[in-house]
Amino acid sequence: MNGGTAEGATMRGSAFRGKTAEGSAARRGKAAGTRRLNAVKSLLDPRPYAHLFRILHFYSYSHTRQKALLTRGRGVRLAPNVSIRNGERISIGDHAHIGERCYLWAGDSTGRIDIGEYALFGPEVFVTASDYQIAPDVPVMHQPRRERDIRIGRDVWLGARVVVTAGVEIGDGCVVGAGSVVTRSLPPGSIAVGAPARVVGKRGEPG
C-alpha cells in the first residue's frame, strides 16, 4: 500500500516536472519569437533611417563643409566633433589644438574669430562672435544680432567649457580656468578664472 502510494507520487512528480519543463521551453520559444519579431519591426521602421540622415546632414552642415572654409596653419589639430559656423571668417594658427565638442561660431556677416599659434582649447569651449540684443517687448530670437571680432592670441590655454563672448581679445600666453566666462579682454600672460572671468595672476609669477 505504502509502496503503491510512493510510486504514484513519484509518477505524479515526474509528470509535473515534465509539464513544467515543457512550459518553460514554450515560454522561452515565445520570448525568442517576440524578440525576432521586434528586431524585424525595428529594421523595417523608416524613422531611425530618417534620423540617421538628419544626423549626417547636420554633421556635414556643422563640420565637414565648414571645415573646408577655415584658414588653417600647419599642424592644426581639430577634433572631429567641433561645431563650426561661417568658417570663412575663422582662422587658426600653426599647431593649435581644438578639443572635443568645441564651438567656433563666427558671425553671419562680419564677426571674425582669429586663433593664434599653439593655442590649446579644452573640451566644450564655446567661442561666439555674435550675440542677440535684448531690447524689451521683443522676443530675443527676433532681435538683430550684434557681431564683433574675437582675437585669441598665441599660446593661449582655454580650459574645459570656457565661454568667450563677442568682442573679446585674449592676449598672448593667457590661461583661462575651466568653466570661466570671458566677457572682457585679457592682457597678455594673464591667468583668469570665474564667471565673469577676472585676472588672478600672471604667468611666471611665483606661487
Side-chain angles (χ1 to χ4, degrees):
M1 192 76 175
N2 290 338
T5 301
E7 183 179 352
T10 301
M11 293 176 64
R12 287 193 299 272
S14 298
F16 175 77
R17 287 193 295 273
K19 290 179 180 179
T20 301
E22 290 175 2
S24 298
R27 287 192 295 273
R28 287 195 298 270
K30 184 177 180 180
T34 300
R35 287 194 297 270
R36 286 192 291 269
L37 179 61
N38 288 337
V40 171
K41 288 180 178 178
S42 295
L43 290 172
L44 297 178
D45 187 347
R47 290 172 295 183
Y49 301 103
H51 189 63
L52 177 60
F53 175 79
R54 291 181 63 191
I55 292 173
L56 291 173
H57 171 70
F58 181 77
Y59 182 73
S60 175
Y61 161 77
S62 67
H63 183 85
T64 307
R65 284 185 285 169
Q66 295 295 325
K67 181 180 176 181
L69 301 174
L70 295 173
T71 300
R72 287 186 293 168
R74 297 169 298 164
V76 170
R77 291 182 294 167
L78 197 71
N81 54 2
V82 172
S83 176
I84 305 167
R85 295 289 188 277
N86 303 306
E88 67 274 15
R89 282 183 283 281
I90 300 174
S91 67
I92 304 176
D94 295 346
H95 308 292
H97 173 80
I98 311 298
E100 293 86 349
R101 299 180 301 281
C102 286
Y103 298 81
L104 304 178
W105 288 7
D108 290 337
S109 56
T110 60
R112 291 189 52 83
I113 298 173
D114 294 314
I115 300 170
E117 300 174 346
Y118 298 98
L120 175 61
F121 287 21
E124 299 183 1
V125 168
F126 193 102
V127 181
T128 178
S130 69
D131 51 31
Y132 287 100
Q133 299 185 38
I134 54 172
D137 303 322
V138 179
V140 171
M141 68 173 61
H142 295 157
Q143 298 195 35
R145 296 185 185 183
R146 180 175 53 176
E147 300 186 15
R148 291 167 293 166
D149 295 347
I150 291 174
R151 182 187 176 277
I152 297 171
R154 185 182 191 275
D155 186 30
V156 168
W157 177 20
L158 303 182
R161 297 183 176 178
V162 166
V163 176
V164 181
T165 60
V168 163
E169 180 172 348
I170 300 178
D172 294 349
C174 284
V175 176
V176 182
S180 299
V181 180
V182 185
T183 60
R184 296 182 179 180
S185 296
L186 299 175
S190 298
I191 299 173
V193 297
R198 60 186 182 87
V199 176
V200 296
K202 299 279 286 185
R203 285 180 68 174
E205 287 183 345

